Amino acid sequence: MTPVVDLRSDTVTKPTPEMRAAIAAAEVGDDVLGDDPTVNALQERCAALLGKEAALFVPSGSMANQVAIRAVTEPGDELIIDETTHSYNYETAGPAALSGCSVRLLAGVRGVFTAEQVAAAVRPENAHFPHSRMVIVENTNNRGGGSVWPAPRVAEVRAAADRFGLHLHMDGARLMNACVAARCRPTDYTQHVHTVSMCFSKGLGAPVGSIVAGPKPFITRAHRFRKMFGGAMRQAGILAAAALYALDHHVERLAEDHAHARRLAEAIAELPGIRLDPATVETNIVLFDVEPSLATAADFVARLRAHGVWMLPTPPQRVRAVTHLDVSSAGIDRAIAAFQSVCRGR
Ligand SMILES: *Cc1c(COP(=O)(O)O)cnc(C)c1O
């Protein structure tokens, strides 16, 4: 069997032999007792990298977002977020279930909204209304197709947040993709937000884990809610070691994933039955629509799969392909060939 090209997500990456060696060599301790030196090192390193007072290692990006929401809200508060937001669409109604918050949705451009939209969504002080409390910007934006927030736009949103006393959180699950694409430092973004989360298990290629960072009192509360949500781990240094390895070795290489995504997008945009503007491919996510006359998204994905190329359908017509560490240039060639044969019915 020829190898599969797995473009379903950048979460499918497997730890490299070198990362496994770093995992094997990790010093560990009981992190619930604060004893794990590798977890502590990762938290300190991320606090510095993200320009925040403190950071907390958590099992997933969803937990990072949900402890952040829980730490800054109370039941009856409202979040102001884009309609594409991960914490709204893919975290099983966590804001409602875990924090008792409602959401006010904005219609941004591929997940990127304006300060004016935030200001217009803030509730006036009135006993009938929820309390507007928190804004989340997602960078890059997943459902928007890996779109990158311009740092000045984040600064504008922060100014609006300050005007209304709102907390600004960045869901930076793919923050490093944004930084590599925008050629900037993480702090160029994070200086404008109160708190930030970032995933190690996406493009950075670690098996497990995310970080959430912010001011010390915030992290103290987040730590409490991590425990409440069942996310306190013991000898988690074996996971933190993989994250540290990823920060050392897997950040700059994200440019390769972006180039692969761009090459794939440019090749398939020309094919009959595919609707895609390659200019919208800014990082490692390629979103396109299949014309109904060709196939449904699910059928199209099944046909590609017969060629050993895997993607995820979003019914009825949308398909997502994500490039990552385990997709080589030859894998992209193979994916392009599979598209050519499916679209041209050969
Ligand atoms: C993947 C992702 C998360 C977290 O996902 P987990 O599977 O819980 O780690 C959060 N935000 C965004 C934007 C994501 O893409």
Side-chain angles (χ1 to χ4, degrees), residues 10 139-141 146-148 172-184 189 198-199 202-204 250-251 253-258 282-285 322-324:
D10 47 9
N139 190 26
T140 65
N141 181 283
S147 40
V148 177
R174 294 186 182 81
L175 176 61
M176 290 305 172
N177 292 85
C179 292
V180 166
R183 296 193 165 81
C184 69
Y189 285 116
M198 181 173 81
C199 287
K202 301 266 166 84
L204 295 182
H250 292 170
V251 175
R253 65 151 307 286
L254 292 171
E256 214 177 291
D257 299 343
H258 299 174
E282 299 173 64
T283 54
N284 68 327
I285 300 179
V322 185
T323 58
H324 52 77

PDB file of all heavy atoms in Angstrom, residues 10 139-141 146-148 172-184 189 198-199 202-204 250-251 253-258 282-285 322-324:
ATOM      1  N   ASP A  10      -3.944  19.369  11.298  1.00  0.00           N
ATOM      2  CA  ASP A  10      -2.564  19.392  11.788  1.00  0.00           C
ATOM      3  C   ASP A  10      -2.455  18.743  13.171  1.00  0.00           C
ATOM      4  O   ASP A  10      -1.379  18.722  13.774  1.00  0.00           O
ATOM      5  CB  ASP A  10      -1.982  20.810  11.774  1.00  0.00           C
ATOM      6  CG  ASP A  10      -2.920  21.836  12.368  1.00  0.00           C
ATOM      7  OD1 ASP A  10      -3.957  21.459  12.944  1.00  0.00           O
ATOM      8  OD2 ASP A  10      -2.626  23.046  12.257  1.00  0.00           O
ATOM      9  N   ASN A 139      -6.638  33.567  16.451  1.00  0.00           N
ATOM     10  CA  ASN A 139      -5.531  33.889  15.553  1.00  0.00           C
ATOM     11  C   ASN A 139      -4.529  32.736  15.507  1.00  0.00           C
ATOM     12  O   ASN A 139      -3.861  32.485  16.505  1.00  0.00           O
ATOM     13  CB  ASN A 139      -4.834  35.158  16.079  1.00  0.00           C
ATOM     14  CG  ASN A 139      -3.835  35.728  15.112  1.00  0.00           C
ATOM     15  OD1 ASN A 139      -3.948  35.523  13.905  1.00  0.00           O
ATOM     16  ND2 ASN A 139      -2.844  36.436  15.627  1.00  0.00           N
ATOM     17  N   THR A 140      -4.421  32.007  14.366  1.00  0.00           N
ATOM     18  CA  THR A 140      -5.223  32.185  13.184  1.00  0.00           C
ATOM     19  C   THR A 140      -6.646  31.686  13.418  1.00  0.00           C
ATOM     20  O   THR A 140      -6.884  30.926  14.354  1.00  0.00           O
ATOM     21  CB  THR A 140      -4.623  31.399  11.982  1.00  0.00           C
ATOM     22  OG1 THR A 140      -4.686  29.988  12.247  1.00  0.00           O
ATOM     23  CG2 THR A 140      -3.153  31.754  11.783  1.00  0.00           C
ATOM     24  N   ASN A 141      -7.535  32.094  12.552  1.00  0.00           N
ATOM     25  CA  ASN A 141      -8.919  31.653  12.684  1.00  0.00           C
ATOM     26  C   ASN A 141      -9.109  30.352  11.906  1.00  0.00           C
ATOM     27  O   ASN A 141      -8.894  30.304  10.697  1.00  0.00           O
ATOM     28  CB  ASN A 141      -9.860  32.750  12.174  1.00  0.00           C
ATOM     29  CG  ASN A 141     -11.311  32.333  12.318  1.00  0.00           C
ATOM     30  OD1 ASN A 141     -11.807  31.544  11.538  1.00  0.00           O
ATOM     31  ND2 ASN A 141     -11.986  32.857  13.322  1.00  0.00           N
ATOM     32  N   GLY A 146      -7.753  29.590   8.417  1.00  0.00           N
ATOM     33  CA  GLY A 146      -6.374  29.908   8.790  1.00  0.00           C
ATOM     34  C   GLY A 146      -6.033  31.371   8.594  1.00  0.00           C
ATOM     35  O   GLY A 146      -4.866  31.728   8.401  1.00  0.00           O
ATOM     36  N   SER A 147      -7.053  32.233   8.656  1.00  0.00           N
ATOM     37  CA  SER A 147      -6.807  33.662   8.430  1.00  0.00           C
ATOM     38  C   SER A 147      -6.013  34.276   9.582  1.00  0.00           C
ATOM     39  O   SER A 147      -6.141  33.879  10.740  1.00  0.00           O
ATOM     40  CB  SER A 147      -8.127  34.403   8.227  1.00  0.00           C
ATOM     41  OG  SER A 147      -9.095  33.912   9.114  1.00  0.00           O
ATOM     42  N   VAL A 148      -5.210  35.268   9.224  1.00  0.00           N
ATOM     43  CA  VAL A 148      -4.272  35.895  10.153  1.00  0.00           C
ATOM     44  C   VAL A 148      -4.802  37.265  10.563  1.00  0.00           C
ATOM     45  O   VAL A 148      -5.143  38.083   9.701  1.00  0.00           O
ATOM     46  CB  VAL A 148      -2.887  36.050   9.479  1.00  0.00           C
ATOM     47  CG1 VAL A 148      -1.907  36.762  10.393  1.00  0.00           C
ATOM     48  CG2 VAL A 148      -2.339  34.686   9.060  1.00  0.00           C
ATOM     49  N   GLY A 172      -5.012  31.622  20.574  1.00  0.00           N
ATOM     50  CA  GLY A 172      -3.868  31.487  19.664  1.00  0.00           C
ATOM     51  C   GLY A 172      -3.478  30.037  19.486  1.00  0.00           C
ATOM     52  O   GLY A 172      -2.284  29.722  19.502  1.00  0.00           O
ATOM     53  N   ALA A 173      -4.479  29.172  19.312  1.00  0.00           N
ATOM     54  CA  ALA A 173      -4.174  27.748  19.068  1.00  0.00           C
ATOM     55  C   ALA A 173      -3.077  27.649  18.007  1.00  0.00           C
ATOM     56  O   ALA A 173      -2.126  26.888  18.154  1.00  0.00           O
ATOM     57  CB  ALA A 173      -5.430  27.005  18.622  1.00  0.00           C
ATOM     58  N   ARG A 174      -3.210  28.459  16.958  1.00  0.00           N
ATOM     59  CA  ARG A 174      -2.194  28.485  15.887  1.00  0.00           C
ATOM     60  C   ARG A 174      -1.494  29.851  15.830  1.00  0.00           C
ATOM     61  O   ARG A 174      -1.206  30.377  14.757  1.00  0.00           O
ATOM     62  CB  ARG A 174      -2.841  28.156  14.538  1.00  0.00           C
ATOM     63  CG  ARG A 174      -3.375  26.734  14.448  1.00  0.00           C
ATOM     64  CD  ARG A 174      -3.872  26.381  13.058  1.00  0.00           C
ATOM     65  NE  ARG A 174      -4.408  25.029  13.022  1.00  0.00           N
ATOM     66  CZ  ARG A 174      -5.631  24.678  13.420  1.00  0.00           C
ATOM     67  NH1 ARG A 174      -6.469  25.596  13.875  1.00  0.00           N
ATOM     68  NH2 ARG A 174      -6.018  23.420  13.369  1.00  0.00           N
ATOM     69  N   LEU A 175      -1.195  30.384  17.011  1.00  0.00           N
ATOM     70  CA  LEU A 175      -0.524  31.694  17.063  1.00  0.00           C
ATOM     71  C   LEU A 175       0.799  31.683  16.305  1.00  0.00           C
ATOM     72  O   LEU A 175       1.156  32.655  15.632  1.00  0.00           O
ATOM     73  CB  LEU A 175      -0.282  32.088  18.535  1.00  0.00           C
ATOM     74  CG  LEU A 175       0.486  33.380  18.767  1.00  0.00           C
ATOM     75  CD1 LEU A 175      -0.256  34.581  18.169  1.00  0.00           C
ATOM     76  CD2 LEU A 175       0.736  33.602  20.257  1.00  0.00           C
ATOM     77  N   MET A 176       1.544  30.574  16.425  1.00  0.00           N
ATOM     78  CA  MET A 176       2.854  30.534  15.752  1.00  0.00           C
ATOM     79  C   MET A 176       2.696  30.544  14.232  1.00  0.00           C
ATOM     80  O   MET A 176       3.540  31.108  13.535  1.00  0.00           O
ATOM     81  CB  MET A 176       3.661  29.324  16.218  1.00  0.00           C
ATOM     82  CG  MET A 176       4.117  29.453  17.650  1.00  0.00           C
ATOM     83  SD  MET A 176       5.058  30.996  17.901  1.00  0.00           S
ATOM     84  CE  MET A 176       5.210  30.959  19.662  1.00  0.00           C
ATOM     85  N   ASN A 177       1.625  29.936  13.723  1.00  0.00           N
ATOM     86  CA  ASN A 177       1.372  30.050  12.282  1.00  0.00           C
ATOM     87  C   ASN A 177       1.146  31.506  11.904  1.00  0.00           C
ATOM     88  O   ASN A 177       1.634  31.983  10.869  1.00  0.00           O
ATOM     89  CB  ASN A 177       0.149  29.227  11.879  1.00  0.00           C
ATOM     90  CG  ASN A 177       0.381  27.735  12.019  1.00  0.00           C
ATOM     91  OD1 ASN A 177       0.210  27.197  13.112  1.00  0.00           O
ATOM     92  ND2 ASN A 177       0.784  27.067  10.958  1.00  0.00           N
ATOM     93  N   ALA A 178       0.404  32.228  12.747  1.00  0.00           N
ATOM     94  CA  ALA A 178       0.150  33.649  12.467  1.00  0.00           C
ATOM     95  C   ALA A 178       1.464  34.431  12.475  1.00  0.00           C
ATOM     96  O   ALA A 178       1.706  35.261  11.596  1.00  0.00           O
ATOM     97  CB  ALA A 178      -0.825  34.221  13.503  1.00  0.00           C
ATOM     98  N   CYS A 179       2.314  34.155  13.468  1.00  0.00           N
ATOM     99  CA  CYS A 179       3.580  34.902  13.588  1.00  0.00           C
ATOM    100  C   CYS A 179       4.498  34.624  12.403  1.00  0.00           C
ATOM    101  O   CYS A 179       5.145  35.539  11.891  1.00  0.00           O
ATOM    102  CB  CYS A 179       4.288  34.538  14.889  1.00  0.00           C
ATOM    103  SG  CYS A 179       3.409  35.133  16.340  1.00  0.00           S
ATOM    104  N   VAL A 180       4.561  33.358  11.989  1.00  0.00           N
ATOM    105  CA  VAL A 180       5.420  33.015  10.856  1.00  0.00           C
ATOM    106  C   VAL A 180       4.871  33.680   9.582  1.00  0.00           C
ATOM    107  O   VAL A 180       5.621  34.261   8.799  1.00  0.00           O
ATOM    108  CB  VAL A 180       5.530  31.483  10.709  1.00  0.00           C
ATOM    109  CG1 VAL A 180       6.130  31.087   9.364  1.00  0.00           C
ATOM    110  CG2 VAL A 180       6.385  30.920  11.850  1.00  0.00           C
ATOM    111  N   ALA A 181       3.554  33.657   9.410  1.00  0.00           N
ATOM    112  CA  ALA A 181       2.966  34.248   8.203  1.00  0.00           C
ATOM    113  C   ALA A 181       3.114  35.768   8.204  1.00  0.00           C
ATOM    114  O   ALA A 181       3.397  36.368   7.168  1.00  0.00           O
ATOM    115  CB  ALA A 181       1.490  33.862   8.098  1.00  0.00           C
ATOM    116  N   ALA A 182       2.925  36.390   9.358  1.00  0.00           N
ATOM    117  CA  ALA A 182       2.978  37.861   9.446  1.00  0.00           C
ATOM    118  C   ALA A 182       4.395  38.358   9.712  1.00  0.00           C
ATOM    119  O   ALA A 182       4.618  39.564   9.812  1.00  0.00           O
ATOM    120  CB  ALA A 182       2.030  38.355  10.538  1.00  0.00           C
ATOM    121  N   ARG A 183       5.340  37.420   9.848  1.00  0.00           N
ATOM    122  CA  ARG A 183       6.733  37.751  10.147  1.00  0.00           C
ATOM    123  C   ARG A 183       6.830  38.675  11.358  1.00  0.00           C
ATOM    124  O   ARG A 183       7.430  39.754  11.314  1.00  0.00           O
ATOM    125  CB  ARG A 183       7.414  38.400   8.948  1.00  0.00           C
ATOM    126  CG  ARG A 183       7.513  37.484   7.755  1.00  0.00           C
ATOM    127  CD  ARG A 183       8.459  38.027   6.697  1.00  0.00           C
ATOM    128  NE  ARG A 183       8.825  36.999   5.740  1.00  0.00           N
ATOM    129  CZ  ARG A 183       8.060  36.626   4.719  1.00  0.00           C
ATOM    130  NH1 ARG A 183       6.897  37.180   4.512  1.00  0.00           N
ATOM    131  NH2 ARG A 183       8.476  35.683   3.897  1.00  0.00           N
ATOM    132  N   CYS A 184       6.190  38.259  12.449  1.00  0.00           N
ATOM    133  CA  CYS A 184       6.254  39.074  13.663  1.00  0.00           C
ATOM    134  C   CYS A 184       6.486  38.187  14.875  1.00  0.00           C
ATOM    135  O   CYS A 184       6.470  36.961  14.779  1.00  0.00           O
ATOM    136  CB  CYS A 184       4.972  39.899  13.814  1.00  0.00           C
ATOM    137  SG  CYS A 184       3.517  38.928  14.199  1.00  0.00           S
ATOM    138  N   TYR A 189       1.526  40.536  18.968  1.00  0.00           N
ATOM    139  CA  TYR A 189       0.093  40.304  19.174  1.00  0.00           C
ATOM    140  C   TYR A 189      -0.299  40.379  20.649  1.00  0.00           C
ATOM    141  O   TYR A 189      -1.251  41.050  21.027  1.00  0.00           O
ATOM    142  CB  TYR A 189      -0.304  38.917  18.669  1.00  0.00           C
ATOM    143  CG  TYR A 189      -0.398  38.787  17.176  1.00  0.00           C
ATOM    144  CD1 TYR A 189       0.447  37.941  16.479  1.00  0.00           C
ATOM    145  CD2 TYR A 189      -1.363  39.495  16.455  1.00  0.00           C
ATOM    146  CE1 TYR A 189       0.351  37.807  15.102  1.00  0.00           C
ATOM    147  CE2 TYR A 189      -1.466  39.363  15.083  1.00  0.00           C
ATOM    148  CZ  TYR A 189      -0.608  38.517  14.412  1.00  0.00           C
ATOM    149  OH  TYR A 189      -0.720  38.389  13.057  1.00  0.00           O
ATOM    150  N   MET A 198      -2.438  28.877  23.506  1.00  0.00           N
ATOM    151  CA  MET A 198      -1.709  28.377  22.333  1.00  0.00           C
ATOM    152  C   MET A 198      -1.621  26.849  22.431  1.00  0.00           C
ATOM    153  O   MET A 198      -1.442  26.313  23.516  1.00  0.00           O
ATOM    154  CB  MET A 198      -0.301  28.988  22.315  1.00  0.00           C
ATOM    155  CG  MET A 198       0.546  28.564  21.150  1.00  0.00           C
ATOM    156  SD  MET A 198       2.104  29.497  21.098  1.00  0.00           S
ATOM    157  CE  MET A 198       3.076  28.620  22.306  1.00  0.00           C
ATOM    158  N   CYS A 199      -1.743  26.165  21.277  1.00  0.00           N
ATOM    159  CA  CYS A 199      -1.696  24.687  21.250  1.00  0.00           C
ATOM    160  C   CYS A 199      -0.316  24.189  20.821  1.00  0.00           C
ATOM    161  O   CYS A 199       0.254  24.711  19.869  1.00  0.00           O
ATOM    162  CB  CYS A 199      -2.696  24.142  20.236  1.00  0.00           C
ATOM    163  SG  CYS A 199      -4.403  24.268  20.729  1.00  0.00           S
ATOM    164  N   LYS A 202      -1.031  21.055  17.561  1.00  0.00           N
ATOM    165  CA  LYS A 202      -1.433  21.319  16.168  1.00  0.00           C
ATOM    166  C   LYS A 202      -0.160  21.327  15.317  1.00  0.00           C
ATOM    167  O   LYS A 202       0.567  20.368  15.333  1.00  0.00           O
ATOM    168  CB  LYS A 202      -2.165  22.664  16.099  1.00  0.00           C
ATOM    169  CG  LYS A 202      -3.410  22.705  16.992  1.00  0.00           C
ATOM    170  CD  LYS A 202      -4.670  22.337  16.230  1.00  0.00           C
ATOM    171  CE  LYS A 202      -5.839  22.041  17.130  1.00  0.00           C
ATOM    172  NZ  LYS A 202      -6.579  23.233  17.551  1.00  0.00           N
ATOM    173  N   GLY A 203       0.079  22.426  14.624  1.00  0.00           N
ATOM    174  CA  GLY A 203       1.225  22.479  13.717  1.00  0.00           C
ATOM    175  C   GLY A 203       2.569  22.294  14.407  1.00  0.00           C
ATOM    176  O   GLY A 203       3.556  21.951  13.755  1.00  0.00           O
ATOM    177  N   LEU A 204       2.622  22.528  15.713  1.00  0.00           N
ATOM    178  CA  LEU A 204       3.908  22.397  16.402  1.00  0.00           C
ATOM    179  C   LEU A 204       4.285  20.931  16.606  1.00  0.00           C
ATOM    180  O   LEU A 204       5.421  20.621  16.960  1.00  0.00           O
ATOM    181  CB  LEU A 204       3.904  23.161  17.730  1.00  0.00           C
ATOM    182  CG  LEU A 204       3.760  24.688  17.580  1.00  0.00           C
ATOM    183  CD1 LEU A 204       3.811  25.385  18.940  1.00  0.00           C
ATOM    184  CD2 LEU A 204       4.834  25.271  16.671  1.00  0.00           C
ATOM    185  N   HIS A 250      10.198  23.342  15.858  1.00  0.00           N
ATOM    186  CA  HIS A 250       9.085  23.232  14.913  1.00  0.00           C
ATOM    187  C   HIS A 250       8.366  24.550  14.620  1.00  0.00           C
ATOM    188  O   HIS A 250       7.268  24.530  14.089  1.00  0.00           O
ATOM    189  CB  HIS A 250       8.071  22.181  15.410  1.00  0.00           C
ATOM    190  CG  HIS A 250       8.591  20.778  15.375  1.00  0.00           C
ATOM    191  ND1 HIS A 250       7.933  19.728  15.962  1.00  0.00           N
ATOM    192  CD2 HIS A 250       9.713  20.243  14.798  1.00  0.00           C
ATOM    193  CE1 HIS A 250       8.619  18.603  15.776  1.00  0.00           C
ATOM    194  NE2 HIS A 250       9.709  18.890  15.073  1.00  0.00           N
ATOM    195  N   VAL A 251       8.956  25.663  15.000  1.00  0.00           N
ATOM    196  CA  VAL A 251       8.276  26.936  14.743  1.00  0.00           C
ATOM    197  C   VAL A 251       8.610  27.467  13.346  1.00  0.00           C
ATOM    198  O   VAL A 251       7.710  27.632  12.513  1.00  0.00           O
ATOM    199  CB  VAL A 251       8.587  27.985  15.825  1.00  0.00           C
ATOM    200  CG1 VAL A 251       7.964  29.331  15.459  1.00  0.00           C
ATOM    201  CG2 VAL A 251       8.057  27.522  17.178  1.00  0.00           C
ATOM    202  N   ARG A 253       9.797  26.083  10.809  1.00  0.00           N
ATOM    203  CA  ARG A 253       9.415  25.187   9.717  1.00  0.00           C
ATOM    204  C   ARG A 253       7.939  25.318   9.313  1.00  0.00           C
ATOM    205  O   ARG A 253       7.542  24.798   8.263  1.00  0.00           O
ATOM    206  CB  ARG A 253       9.776  23.734  10.028  1.00  0.00           C
ATOM    207  CG  ARG A 253       9.025  23.132  11.186  1.00  0.00           C
ATOM    208  CD  ARG A 253       8.855  21.628  11.030  1.00  0.00           C
ATOM    209  NE  ARG A 253       8.273  21.283   9.750  1.00  0.00           N
ATOM    210  CZ  ARG A 253       6.977  21.467   9.456  1.00  0.00           C
ATOM    211  NH1 ARG A 253       6.147  22.003  10.338  1.00  0.00           N
ATOM    212  NH2 ARG A 253       6.513  21.125   8.269  1.00  0.00           N
ATOM    213  N   LEU A 254       7.139  26.026  10.099  1.00  0.00           N
ATOM    214  CA  LEU A 254       5.737  26.231   9.715  1.00  0.00           C
ATOM    215  C   LEU A 254       5.640  26.923   8.349  1.00  0.00           C
ATOM    216  O   LEU A 254       4.653  26.748   7.625  1.00  0.00           O
ATOM    217  CB  LEU A 254       5.002  27.066  10.777  1.00  0.00           C
ATOM    218  CG  LEU A 254       4.791  26.377  12.138  1.00  0.00           C
ATOM    219  CD1 LEU A 254       4.254  27.386  13.156  1.00  0.00           C
ATOM    220  CD2 LEU A 254       3.843  25.189  12.018  1.00  0.00           C
ATOM    221  N   ALA A 255       6.685  27.675   7.990  1.00  0.00           N
ATOM    222  CA  ALA A 255       6.698  28.345   6.677  1.00  0.00           C
ATOM    223  C   ALA A 255       6.566  27.319   5.547  1.00  0.00           C
ATOM    224  O   ALA A 255       5.952  27.590   4.509  1.00  0.00           O
ATOM    225  CB  ALA A 255       7.981  29.159   6.518  1.00  0.00           C
ATOM    226  N   GLU A 256       7.156  26.143   5.778  1.00  0.00           N
ATOM    227  CA  GLU A 256       7.066  25.062   4.793  1.00  0.00           C
ATOM    228  C   GLU A 256       5.602  24.604   4.630  1.00  0.00           C
ATOM    229  O   GLU A 256       5.130  24.403   3.505  1.00  0.00           O
ATOM    230  CB  GLU A 256       7.882  23.903   5.355  1.00  0.00           C
ATOM    231  CG  GLU A 256       8.621  23.045   4.394  1.00  0.00           C
ATOM    232  CD  GLU A 256       9.420  22.015   5.208  1.00  0.00           C
ATOM    233  OE1 GLU A 256      10.389  22.408   5.904  1.00  0.00           O
ATOM    234  OE2 GLU A 256       9.055  20.839   5.173  1.00  0.00           O
ATOM    235  N   ASP A 257       4.906  24.456   5.751  1.00  0.00           N
ATOM    236  CA  ASP A 257       3.485  24.058   5.693  1.00  0.00           C
ATOM    237  C   ASP A 257       2.681  25.106   4.926  1.00  0.00           C
ATOM    238  O   ASP A 257       1.770  24.767   4.157  1.00  0.00           O
ATOM    239  CB  ASP A 257       2.893  23.916   7.097  1.00  0.00           C
ATOM    240  CG  ASP A 257       3.591  22.848   7.928  1.00  0.00           C
ATOM    241  OD1 ASP A 257       4.296  22.005   7.326  1.00  0.00           O
ATOM    242  OD2 ASP A 257       3.437  22.869   9.160  1.00  0.00           O
ATOM    243  N   HIS A 258       3.003  26.378   5.153  1.00  0.00           N
ATOM    244  CA  HIS A 258       2.269  27.455   4.485  1.00  0.00           C
ATOM    245  C   HIS A 258       2.530  27.406   2.968  1.00  0.00           C
ATOM    246  O   HIS A 258       1.614  27.592   2.168  1.00  0.00           O
ATOM    247  CB  HIS A 258       2.671  28.815   5.062  1.00  0.00           C
ATOM    248  CG  HIS A 258       2.360  28.946   6.529  1.00  0.00           C
ATOM    249  ND1 HIS A 258       2.734  30.036   7.279  1.00  0.00           N
ATOM    250  CD2 HIS A 258       1.717  28.119   7.399  1.00  0.00           C
ATOM    251  CE1 HIS A 258       2.324  29.869   8.532  1.00  0.00           C
ATOM    252  NE2 HIS A 258       1.713  28.715   8.629  1.00  0.00           N
ATOM    253  N   GLU A 282      -3.698  31.845   3.722  1.00  0.00           N
ATOM    254  CA  GLU A 282      -2.627  32.633   4.338  1.00  0.00           C
ATOM    255  C   GLU A 282      -1.678  31.781   5.154  1.00  0.00           C
ATOM    256  O   GLU A 282      -0.550  32.189   5.426  1.00  0.00           O
ATOM    257  CB  GLU A 282      -3.237  33.699   5.250  1.00  0.00           C
ATOM    258  CG  GLU A 282      -4.125  34.693   4.534  1.00  0.00           C
ATOM    259  CD  GLU A 282      -4.821  35.619   5.527  1.00  0.00           C
ATOM    260  OE1 GLU A 282      -4.122  36.373   6.216  1.00  0.00           O
ATOM    261  OE2 GLU A 282      -6.066  35.547   5.625  1.00  0.00           O
ATOM    262  N   THR A 283      -2.155  30.624   5.624  1.00  0.00           N
ATOM    263  CA  THR A 283      -1.292  29.802   6.496  1.00  0.00           C
ATOM    264  C   THR A 283      -1.361  28.341   6.042  1.00  0.00           C
ATOM    265  O   THR A 283      -1.052  28.056   4.892  1.00  0.00           O
ATOM    266  CB  THR A 283      -1.672  29.995   7.982  1.00  0.00           C
ATOM    267  OG1 THR A 283      -3.066  29.739   8.154  1.00  0.00           O
ATOM    268  CG2 THR A 283      -1.348  31.404   8.445  1.00  0.00           C
ATOM    269  N   ASN A 284      -1.755  27.434   6.915  1.00  0.00           N
ATOM    270  CA  ASN A 284      -1.679  26.007   6.579  1.00  0.00           C
ATOM    271  C   ASN A 284      -3.049  25.365   6.337  1.00  0.00           C
ATOM    272  O   ASN A 284      -3.156  24.149   6.326  1.00  0.00           O
ATOM    273  CB  ASN A 284      -0.943  25.233   7.692  1.00  0.00           C
ATOM    274  CG  ASN A 284      -1.735  25.181   8.994  1.00  0.00           C
ATOM    275  OD1 ASN A 284      -2.463  26.121   9.322  1.00  0.00           O
ATOM    276  ND2 ASN A 284      -1.600  24.112   9.739  1.00  0.00           N
ATOM    277  N   ILE A 285      -4.098  26.190   6.220  1.00  0.00           N
ATOM    278  CA  ILE A 285      -5.443  25.640   6.032  1.00  0.00           C
ATOM    279  C   ILE A 285      -5.963  26.035   4.649  1.00  0.00           C
ATOM    280  O   ILE A 285      -5.878  27.208   4.267  1.00  0.00           O
ATOM    281  CB  ILE A 285      -6.399  26.141   7.136  1.00  0.00           C
ATOM    282  CG1 ILE A 285      -5.875  25.709   8.517  1.00  0.00           C
ATOM    283  CG2 ILE A 285      -7.818  25.614   6.908  1.00  0.00           C
ATOM    284  CD1 ILE A 285      -6.730  26.180   9.699  1.00  0.00           C
ATOM    285  N   VAL A 322      -5.524  20.510   5.556  1.00  0.00           N
ATOM    286  CA  VAL A 322      -4.571  21.185   6.444  1.00  0.00           C
ATOM    287  C   VAL A 322      -3.192  20.556   6.249  1.00  0.00           C
ATOM    288  O   VAL A 322      -3.049  19.336   6.310  1.00  0.00           O
ATOM    289  CB  VAL A 322      -5.010  21.046   7.920  1.00  0.00           C
ATOM    290  CG1 VAL A 322      -4.085  21.860   8.827  1.00  0.00           C
ATOM    291  CG2 VAL A 322      -6.454  21.485   8.109  1.00  0.00           C
ATOM    292  N   THR A 323      -2.201  21.403   6.010  1.00  0.00           N
ATOM    293  CA  THR A 323      -0.829  20.899   5.861  1.00  0.00           C
ATOM    294  C   THR A 323      -0.126  20.937   7.216  1.00  0.00           C
ATOM    295  O   THR A 323      -0.500  21.700   8.106  1.00  0.00           O
ATOM    296  CB  THR A 323      -0.047  21.739   4.843  1.00  0.00           C
ATOM    297  OG1 THR A 323      -0.031  23.102   5.280  1.00  0.00           O
ATOM    298  CG2 THR A 323      -0.670  21.651   3.456  1.00  0.00           C
ATOM    299  N   HIS A 324       0.882  20.088   7.358  1.00  0.00           N
ATOM    300  CA  HIS A 324       1.582  19.967   8.643  1.00  0.00           C
ATOM    301  C   HIS A 324       2.892  19.227   8.458  1.00  0.00           C
ATOM    302  O   HIS A 324       3.226  18.774   7.349  1.00  0.00           O
ATOM    303  CB  HIS A 324       0.674  19.258   9.654  1.00  0.00           C
ATOM    304  CG  HIS A 324       0.112  17.957   9.154  1.00  0.00           C
ATOM    305  ND1 HIS A 324       0.855  16.815   9.114  1.00  0.00           N
ATOM    306  CD2 HIS A 324      -1.103  17.634   8.617  1.00  0.00           C
ATOM    307  CE1 HIS A 324       0.113  15.825   8.616  1.00  0.00           C
ATOM    308  NE2 HIS A 324      -1.078  16.306   8.282  1.00  0.00           N
TER     309      HIS A 324
END
